[in-house]
Amino acid sequence: MPLIDKPLHELYTYQGINPRPADFDAYWDQALAEMRAIDPQVEMIPSHFQSPIVDCFNLYYTGVRGARVHAKYLRPKCQESQGGALLDFHGYSGGSGQWSDYLGYVALGFSVLAMDARG
């Protein structure tokens, strides 16, 4: 049984204890405009790791302030219909993992993008 400190009907609308900054919308408008103005210079380079059923790529793109961002991109080699996609963003304390971590998802028909966080 979970331990909670509010009745369930209050949790449906609870937005946390931190107030939303007054400049929230202006900040995100500026950040999104900056991102949209970037030429991402996307590169997909076949990985050294390959599989008989999966195409594996190192995907790179340019983010804000010129940062080159890396992701592992895996897709099924043979797929009759468009499958779903899985985006793995590990957070700032980890990494994109091993290629083999994602083979099960691709075997089920998913394409996978495992992105490394900047910094």
Side-chain angles (χ1 to χ4, degrees), residues 64-88:
V64 294
R65 298 187 190 114
R68 281 306 270 173
V69 181
H70 170 259
K72 289 179 174 81
Y73 174 53
L74 302 85
R75 66 181 182 204
K77 282 191 180 194
C78 299
Q79 187 168 349
E80 294 179 14
S81 64
Q82 194 87 19
L86 174 84
L87 175 61
D88 182 14

PDB file of all heavy atoms in Angstrom, residues 64-88:
ATOM      1  N   VAL A  64      22.092  23.581 -29.013  1.00  0.00           N
ATOM      2  CA  VAL A  64      22.313  24.980 -28.666  1.00  0.00           C
ATOM      3  C   VAL A  64      23.756  25.202 -28.230  1.00  0.00           C
ATOM      4  O   VAL A  64      24.415  24.300 -27.706  1.00  0.00           O
ATOM      5  CB  VAL A  64      21.332  25.469 -27.585  1.00  0.00           C
ATOM      6  CG1 VAL A  64      19.912  25.480 -28.119  1.00  0.00           C
ATOM      7  CG2 VAL A  64      21.408  24.634 -26.338  1.00  0.00           C
ATOM      8  N   ARG A  65      24.219  26.385 -28.493  1.00  0.00           N
ATOM      9  CA  ARG A  65      25.589  26.820 -28.194  1.00  0.00           C
ATOM     10  C   ARG A  65      26.639  25.929 -28.875  1.00  0.00           C
ATOM     11  O   ARG A  65      27.738  25.745 -28.373  1.00  0.00           O
ATOM     12  CB  ARG A  65      25.820  26.892 -26.693  1.00  0.00           C
ATOM     13  CG  ARG A  65      24.916  27.905 -26.015  1.00  0.00           C
ATOM     14  CD  ARG A  65      25.252  28.105 -24.553  1.00  0.00           C
ATOM     15  NE  ARG A  65      24.201  28.900 -23.957  1.00  0.00           N
ATOM     16  CZ  ARG A  65      23.365  28.470 -23.024  1.00  0.00           C
ATOM     17  NH1 ARG A  65      23.488  27.251 -22.553  1.00  0.00           N
ATOM     18  NH2 ARG A  65      22.427  29.261 -22.544  1.00  0.00           N
ATOM     19  N   GLY A  66      26.268  25.326 -30.006  1.00  0.00           N
ATOM     20  CA  GLY A  66      27.220  24.559 -30.803  1.00  0.00           C
ATOM     21  C   GLY A  66      27.568  23.184 -30.286  1.00  0.00           C
ATOM     22  O   GLY A  66      28.462  22.531 -30.818  1.00  0.00           O
ATOM     23  N   ALA A  67      26.887  22.706 -29.259  1.00  0.00           N
ATOM     24  CA  ALA A  67      27.214  21.391 -28.688  1.00  0.00           C
ATOM     25  C   ALA A  67      26.867  20.283 -29.676  1.00  0.00           C
ATOM     26  O   ALA A  67      25.798  20.291 -30.278  1.00  0.00           O
ATOM     27  CB  ALA A  67      26.446  21.175 -27.393  1.00  0.00           C
ATOM     28  N   ARG A  68      27.783  19.332 -29.864  1.00  0.00           N
ATOM     29  CA  ARG A  68      27.502  18.145 -30.665  1.00  0.00           C
ATOM     30  C   ARG A  68      26.933  17.084 -29.731  1.00  0.00           C
ATOM     31  O   ARG A  68      27.571  16.691 -28.751  1.00  0.00           O
ATOM     32  CB  ARG A  68      28.762  17.599 -31.329  1.00  0.00           C
ATOM     33  CG  ARG A  68      29.227  18.296 -32.564  1.00  0.00           C
ATOM     34  CD  ARG A  68      28.195  18.425 -33.652  1.00  0.00           C
ATOM     35  NE  ARG A  68      28.192  17.316 -34.587  1.00  0.00           N
ATOM     36  CZ  ARG A  68      27.262  17.178 -35.536  1.00  0.00           C
ATOM     37  NH1 ARG A  68      26.299  18.042 -35.674  1.00  0.00           N
ATOM     38  NH2 ARG A  68      27.306  16.156 -36.345  1.00  0.00           N
ATOM     39  N   VAL A  69      25.724  16.651 -30.017  1.00  0.00           N
ATOM     40  CA  VAL A  69      25.026  15.682 -29.180  1.00  0.00           C
ATOM     41  C   VAL A  69      25.072  14.325 -29.878  1.00  0.00           C
ATOM     42  O   VAL A  69      24.920  14.238 -31.098  1.00  0.00           O
ATOM     43  CB  VAL A  69      23.569  16.127 -28.934  1.00  0.00           C
ATOM     44  CG1 VAL A  69      22.846  15.135 -28.036  1.00  0.00           C
ATOM     45  CG2 VAL A  69      23.532  17.529 -28.319  1.00  0.00           C
ATOM     46  N   HIS A  70      25.291  13.269 -29.093  1.00  0.00           N
ATOM     47  CA  HIS A  70      25.393  11.901 -29.617  1.00  0.00           C
ATOM     48  C   HIS A  70      24.215  11.068 -29.131  1.00  0.00           C
ATOM     49  O   HIS A  70      23.752  11.223 -27.999  1.00  0.00           O
ATOM     50  CB  HIS A  70      26.686  11.242 -29.143  1.00  0.00           C
ATOM     51  CG  HIS A  70      26.739   9.780 -29.446  1.00  0.00           C
ATOM     52  ND1 HIS A  70      26.485   8.818 -28.486  1.00  0.00           N
ATOM     53  CD2 HIS A  70      26.993   9.110 -30.594  1.00  0.00           C
ATOM     54  CE1 HIS A  70      26.599   7.624 -29.038  1.00  0.00           C
ATOM     55  NE2 HIS A  70      26.901   7.769 -30.313  1.00  0.00           N
ATOM     56  N   ALA A  71      23.762  10.185 -30.009  1.00  0.00           N
ATOM     57  CA  ALA A  71      22.754   9.197 -29.628  1.00  0.00           C
ATOM     58  C   ALA A  71      23.043   7.904 -30.376  1.00  0.00           C
ATOM     59  O   ALA A  71      23.591   7.913 -31.479  1.00  0.00           O
ATOM     60  CB  ALA A  71      21.356   9.692 -29.975  1.00  0.00           C
ATOM     61  N   LYS A  72      22.676   6.804 -29.753  1.00  0.00           N
ATOM     62  CA  LYS A  72      22.691   5.512 -30.438  1.00  0.00           C
ATOM     63  C   LYS A  72      21.324   5.363 -31.097  1.00  0.00           C
ATOM     64  O   LYS A  72      20.297   5.592 -30.464  1.00  0.00           O
ATOM     65  CB  LYS A  72      22.916   4.375 -29.444  1.00  0.00           C
ATOM     66  CG  LYS A  72      24.310   4.322 -28.872  1.00  0.00           C
ATOM     67  CD  LYS A  72      24.430   3.174 -27.882  1.00  0.00           C
ATOM     68  CE  LYS A  72      25.845   3.000 -27.415  1.00  0.00           C
ATOM     69  NZ  LYS A  72      26.216   3.933 -26.355  1.00  0.00           N
ATOM     70  N   TYR A  73      21.318   5.014 -32.371  1.00  0.00           N
ATOM     71  CA  TYR A  73      20.065   4.822 -33.096  1.00  0.00           C
ATOM     72  C   TYR A  73      20.039   3.404 -33.642  1.00  0.00           C
ATOM     73  O   TYR A  73      20.953   2.996 -34.356  1.00  0.00           O
ATOM     74  CB  TYR A  73      19.940   5.843 -34.222  1.00  0.00           C
ATOM     75  CG  TYR A  73      18.736   5.634 -35.108  1.00  0.00           C
ATOM     76  CD1 TYR A  73      17.456   5.532 -34.573  1.00  0.00           C
ATOM     77  CD2 TYR A  73      18.872   5.524 -36.480  1.00  0.00           C
ATOM     78  CE1 TYR A  73      16.353   5.335 -35.384  1.00  0.00           C
ATOM     79  CE2 TYR A  73      17.779   5.332 -37.302  1.00  0.00           C
ATOM     80  CZ  TYR A  73      16.521   5.236 -36.743  1.00  0.00           C
ATOM     81  OH  TYR A  73      15.430   5.039 -37.549  1.00  0.00           O
ATOM     82  N   LEU A  74      19.015   2.647 -33.276  1.00  0.00           N
ATOM     83  CA  LEU A  74      18.855   1.265 -33.718  1.00  0.00           C
ATOM     84  C   LEU A  74      17.497   1.128 -34.381  1.00  0.00           C
ATOM     85  O   LEU A  74      16.505   1.669 -33.891  1.00  0.00           O
ATOM     86  CB  LEU A  74      18.919   0.295 -32.536  1.00  0.00           C
ATOM     87  CG  LEU A  74      20.171   0.284 -31.669  1.00  0.00           C
ATOM     88  CD1 LEU A  74      20.126   1.333 -30.587  1.00  0.00           C
ATOM     89  CD2 LEU A  74      20.342  -1.078 -31.036  1.00  0.00           C
ATOM     90  N   ARG A  75      17.456   0.394 -35.494  1.00  0.00           N
ATOM     91  CA  ARG A  75      16.185   0.166 -36.183  1.00  0.00           C
ATOM     92  C   ARG A  75      16.183  -1.240 -36.761  1.00  0.00           C
ATOM     93  O   ARG A  75      17.234  -1.788 -37.118  1.00  0.00           O
ATOM     94  CB  ARG A  75      15.957   1.205 -37.268  1.00  0.00           C
ATOM     95  CG  ARG A  75      16.938   1.117 -38.405  1.00  0.00           C
ATOM     96  CD  ARG A  75      16.706   2.182 -39.447  1.00  0.00           C
ATOM     97  NE  ARG A  75      17.660   1.996 -40.538  1.00  0.00           N
ATOM     98  CZ  ARG A  75      18.042   2.944 -41.354  1.00  0.00           C
ATOM     99  NH1 ARG A  75      17.559   4.165 -41.220  1.00  0.00           N
ATOM    100  NH2 ARG A  75      18.899   2.691 -42.306  1.00  0.00           N
ATOM    101  N   PRO A  76      14.990  -1.827 -36.882  1.00  0.00           N
ATOM    102  CA  PRO A  76      14.908  -3.170 -37.473  1.00  0.00           C
ATOM    103  C   PRO A  76      15.362  -3.149 -38.923  1.00  0.00           C
ATOM    104  O   PRO A  76      15.071  -2.207 -39.653  1.00  0.00           O
ATOM    105  CB  PRO A  76      13.417  -3.514 -37.383  1.00  0.00           C
ATOM    106  CG  PRO A  76      12.838  -2.561 -36.393  1.00  0.00           C
ATOM    107  CD  PRO A  76      13.690  -1.330 -36.432  1.00  0.00           C
ATOM    108  N   LYS A  77      16.093  -4.177 -39.346  1.00  0.00           N
ATOM    109  CA  LYS A  77      16.517  -4.264 -40.750  1.00  0.00           C
ATOM    110  C   LYS A  77      15.342  -4.582 -41.659  1.00  0.00           C
ATOM    111  O   LYS A  77      15.209  -4.015 -42.727  1.00  0.00           O
ATOM    112  CB  LYS A  77      17.602  -5.325 -40.930  1.00  0.00           C
ATOM    113  CG  LYS A  77      18.953  -4.854 -40.481  1.00  0.00           C
ATOM    114  CD  LYS A  77      20.040  -5.798 -40.916  1.00  0.00           C
ATOM    115  CE  LYS A  77      21.364  -5.248 -40.418  1.00  0.00           C
ATOM    116  NZ  LYS A  77      22.509  -5.852 -41.010  1.00  0.00           N
ATOM    117  N   CYS A  78      14.517  -5.504 -41.256  1.00  0.00           N
ATOM    118  CA  CYS A  78      13.374  -5.919 -42.076  1.00  0.00           C
ATOM    119  C   CYS A  78      12.101  -5.708 -41.279  1.00  0.00           C
ATOM    120  O   CYS A  78      11.907  -6.329 -40.234  1.00  0.00           O
ATOM    121  CB  CYS A  78      13.482  -7.396 -42.458  1.00  0.00           C
ATOM    122  SG  CYS A  78      14.954  -7.767 -43.422  1.00  0.00           S
ATOM    123  N   GLN A  79      11.282  -4.824 -41.793  1.00  0.00           N
ATOM    124  CA  GLN A  79      10.026  -4.573 -41.095  1.00  0.00           C
ATOM    125  C   GLN A  79       8.972  -4.248 -42.139  1.00  0.00           C
ATOM    126  O   GLN A  79       9.150  -3.343 -42.957  1.00  0.00           O
ATOM    127  CB  GLN A  79      10.178  -3.421 -40.111  1.00  0.00           C
ATOM    128  CG  GLN A  79       8.975  -3.235 -39.246  1.00  0.00           C
ATOM    129  CD  GLN A  79       9.260  -2.298 -38.095  1.00  0.00           C
ATOM    130  OE1 GLN A  79      10.392  -1.947 -37.839  1.00  0.00           O
ATOM    131  NE2 GLN A  79       8.228  -1.906 -37.402  1.00  0.00           N
ATOM    132  N   GLU A  80       7.881  -5.002 -42.127  1.00  0.00           N
ATOM    133  CA  GLU A  80       6.840  -4.815 -43.126  1.00  0.00           C
ATOM    134  C   GLU A  80       5.998  -3.574 -42.849  1.00  0.00           C
ATOM    135  O   GLU A  80       5.518  -2.937 -43.775  1.00  0.00           O
ATOM    136  CB  GLU A  80       5.955  -6.054 -43.196  1.00  0.00           C
ATOM    137  CG  GLU A  80       6.698  -7.283 -43.710  1.00  0.00           C
ATOM    138  CD  GLU A  80       5.816  -8.499 -43.757  1.00  0.00           C
ATOM    139  OE1 GLU A  80       4.588  -8.364 -43.649  1.00  0.00           O
ATOM    140  OE2 GLU A  80       6.366  -9.598 -43.910  1.00  0.00           O
ATOM    141  N   SER A  81       5.794  -3.222 -41.596  1.00  0.00           N
ATOM    142  CA  SER A  81       4.975  -2.055 -41.274  1.00  0.00           C
ATOM    143  C   SER A  81       5.754  -1.112 -40.371  1.00  0.00           C
ATOM    144  O   SER A  81       6.744  -1.493 -39.757  1.00  0.00           O
ATOM    145  CB  SER A  81       3.679  -2.493 -40.584  1.00  0.00           C
ATOM    146  OG  SER A  81       3.979  -3.104 -39.342  1.00  0.00           O
ATOM    147  N   GLN A  82       5.291   0.118 -40.313  1.00  0.00           N
ATOM    148  CA  GLN A  82       5.921   1.136 -39.473  1.00  0.00           C
ATOM    149  C   GLN A  82       5.733   0.748 -38.005  1.00  0.00           C
ATOM    150  O   GLN A  82       4.617   0.554 -37.546  1.00  0.00           O
ATOM    151  CB  GLN A  82       5.257   2.488 -39.738  1.00  0.00           C
ATOM    152  CG  GLN A  82       6.008   3.661 -39.200  1.00  0.00           C
ATOM    153  CD  GLN A  82       7.048   4.157 -40.190  1.00  0.00           C
ATOM    154  OE1 GLN A  82       6.973   3.857 -41.351  1.00  0.00           O
ATOM    155  NE2 GLN A  82       7.998   4.901 -39.724  1.00  0.00           N
ATOM    156  N   GLY A  83       6.811   0.617 -37.278  1.00  0.00           N
ATOM    157  CA  GLY A  83       6.722   0.260 -35.870  1.00  0.00           C
ATOM    158  C   GLY A  83       6.765   1.497 -34.990  1.00  0.00           C
ATOM    159  O   GLY A  83       6.881   2.623 -35.474  1.00  0.00           O
ATOM    160  N   GLY A  84       6.694   1.295 -33.709  1.00  0.00           N
ATOM    161  CA  GLY A  84       6.790   2.389 -32.759  1.00  0.00           C
ATOM    162  C   GLY A  84       8.238   2.779 -32.526  1.00  0.00           C
ATOM    163  O   GLY A  84       9.159   2.213 -33.117  1.00  0.00           O
ATOM    164  N   ALA A  85       8.419   3.754 -31.679  1.00  0.00           N
ATOM    165  CA  ALA A  85       9.763   4.237 -31.359  1.00  0.00           C
ATOM    166  C   ALA A  85       9.908   4.375 -29.851  1.00  0.00           C
ATOM    167  O   ALA A  85       8.935   4.653 -29.148  1.00  0.00           O
ATOM    168  CB  ALA A  85      10.027   5.575 -32.028  1.00  0.00           C
ATOM    169  N   LEU A  86      11.118   4.178 -29.389  1.00  0.00           N
ATOM    170  CA  LEU A  86      11.448   4.328 -27.977  1.00  0.00           C
ATOM    171  C   LEU A  86      12.588   5.334 -27.878  1.00  0.00           C
ATOM    172  O   LEU A  86      13.606   5.187 -28.546  1.00  0.00           O
ATOM    173  CB  LEU A  86      11.896   2.979 -27.395  1.00  0.00           C
ATOM    174  CG  LEU A  86      12.414   3.018 -25.966  1.00  0.00           C
ATOM    175  CD1 LEU A  86      11.243   2.961 -25.004  1.00  0.00           C
ATOM    176  CD2 LEU A  86      13.369   1.879 -25.712  1.00  0.00           C
ATOM    177  N   LEU A  87      12.389   6.374 -27.091  1.00  0.00           N
ATOM    178  CA  LEU A  87      13.428   7.363 -26.831  1.00  0.00           C
ATOM    179  C   LEU A  87      13.920   7.165 -25.408  1.00  0.00           C
ATOM    180  O   LEU A  87      13.138   7.231 -24.466  1.00  0.00           O
ATOM    181  CB  LEU A  87      12.887   8.785 -26.999  1.00  0.00           C
ATOM    182  CG  LEU A  87      13.848   9.918 -26.637  1.00  0.00           C
ATOM    183  CD1 LEU A  87      15.095   9.877 -27.516  1.00  0.00           C
ATOM    184  CD2 LEU A  87      13.158  11.260 -26.754  1.00  0.00           C
ATOM    185  N   ASP A  88      15.207   6.871 -25.259  1.00  0.00           N
ATOM    186  CA  ASP A  88      15.801   6.666 -23.941  1.00  0.00           C
ATOM    187  C   ASP A  88      16.688   7.863 -23.620  1.00  0.00           C
ATOM    188  O   ASP A  88      17.739   8.051 -24.221  1.00  0.00           O
ATOM    189  CB  ASP A  88      16.621   5.372 -23.930  1.00  0.00           C
ATOM    190  CG  ASP A  88      17.230   5.082 -22.562  1.00  0.00           C
ATOM    191  OD1 ASP A  88      16.824   5.718 -21.566  1.00  0.00           O
ATOM    192  OD2 ASP A  88      18.120   4.228 -22.490  1.00  0.00           O
TER     193      ASP A  88
END
